[in-house]
Amino acid sequence: MTVRRADVALGTELPEQLHRVTRADLVRYAGASGDFNPIHWNQRVATSVGLPDVIAHGMFTMALAGRAVTDWTGDPGALVEYQVRFGRPVVVPDDDAGAEVVVRGTVGALLDDDRVRVDLTVTSAGEKVLSLARAIVRLP
């Protein structure tokens, strides 16, 4: 289903998305992205540089948030701008449950040319992991 501009108002909430991120996901993402930094898969290396444990790739976390927007629009091509700041890492324990990443979004502005700004809140373990996360989408 494609969201239409006429059906969106200031404050419209996107469906919440919950993602489980496991170490296996990080290995797959490393292979896809080419980012094999050991802080994303090796606990010894991660803790030796001051991290609490292995952490998810920032771009992977950013992609999860972006997916919430494109799932909502029903059209990945509707996304015309996207930005985030990385606030805190997503710590991924070495277990089958992994880390939980929750993405919430709200329409924060109605713009010209059938565009809307979506403000995102992305948390893990109760902490905000992305800040100033915003997407601009053009809706039919």
Side-chain angles (χ1 to χ4, degrees), residues 7-128:
D7 300 326
V8 176
L10 191 63
T12 297
E13 293 185 3
L14 281 63
E16 178 180 286
Q17 287 195 357
L18 182 136
H19 302 277
R20 288 269 172 209
V21 179
T22 65
R23 298 264 177 106
D25 294 321
L26 301 183
V27 169
R28 285 189 286 274
Y29 184 81
S33 68
D35 181 352
F36 295 100
N37 187 323
I39 64 171
H40 302 302
W41 56 270
N42 185 310
Q43 182 177 16
R44 180 181 45 79
V45 172
T47 57
S48 76
V49 298
L51 295 168
D53 204 335
V54 165
I55 63 170
H57 302 75
M59 295 300 287
F60 180 65
T61 306
M62 183 179 179
L64 295 176
R67 187 163 100 189
V69 176
T70 59
D71 285 355
W72 175 68
T73 65
D75 175 14
L79 183 64
V80 295
E81 280 183 48
Y82 183 42
Q83 68 180 31
V84 306
R85 286 196 184 166
F86 301 106
R88 296 179 187 269
V90 174
V91 177
V92 182
D94 189 14
D95 60 21
D96 293 333
E100 185 177 277
V101 175
V102 179
V103 183
R104 295 178 183 91
T106 305
V107 172
L110 304 174
L111 308 170
D112 59 353
D113 198 23
D114 293 324
R115 296 174 306 136
V116 300
R117 187 188 78 220
V118 177
D119 299 331
L120 297 164
T121 303
V122 183
T123 59
S124 183
E127 298 285 333
K128 198 173 185 179

